[in-house]
Amino acid sequence: MSAVFDFPSLLTVLLLLICTCAYVREMRPAIFDNAEEPDPGRPLKRSGMRGFLWKLSRIGERLSPFVGASCACMAIYTLIK
């Protein structure tokens, strides 16, 4: 069954994406951050797939205790299932 139609699999894929993006941003921050400076008063425009991955990395940074606890719960669920 596809991970899109199975809710626990969808959560697992989402958690793995969050953890991977946070790790990659920690190791190589230039991948997600733009090299050019924004104009004063204009926020950076993050769009597309790169912007989506940047948002996932920010979720992983800011909510790391909750993401870690969710990963542990999903690991236990996967072992029991």
Side-chain angles (χ1 to χ4, degrees):
M1 181 174 264
S2 176
V4 176
F5 300 116
D6 188 21
F7 187 68
S9 297
L10 180 66
L11 283 179
T12 303
V13 169
L14 187 63
L15 283 171
L16 287 173
L17 267 173
I18 289 171
C19 293
T20 303
C21 289
Y23 178 77
V24 168
R25 187 163 193 264
E26 183 70 28
M27 294 294 123
R28 305 268 188 240
I31 292 175
F32 295 116
D33 296 334
N34 290 342
E36 59 194 45
E37 290 292 321
D39 294 332
R42 282 183 76 191
L44 284 175
K45 183 178 180 185
R46 291 181 167 77
S47 60
M49 189 63 167
R50 196 171 179 183
F52 178 69
L53 295 176
W54 178 81
K55 290 175 186 177
L56 288 177
S57 71
R58 293 300 284 186
I59 290 170
E61 284 178 355
R62 293 183 178 178
L63 299 175
S64 60
F66 298 111
V67 172
S70 299
C71 286
C73 290
M74 284 306 290
I76 292 169
Y77 175 78
T78 302
L79 287 175
I80 291 173
K81 184 176 115 176

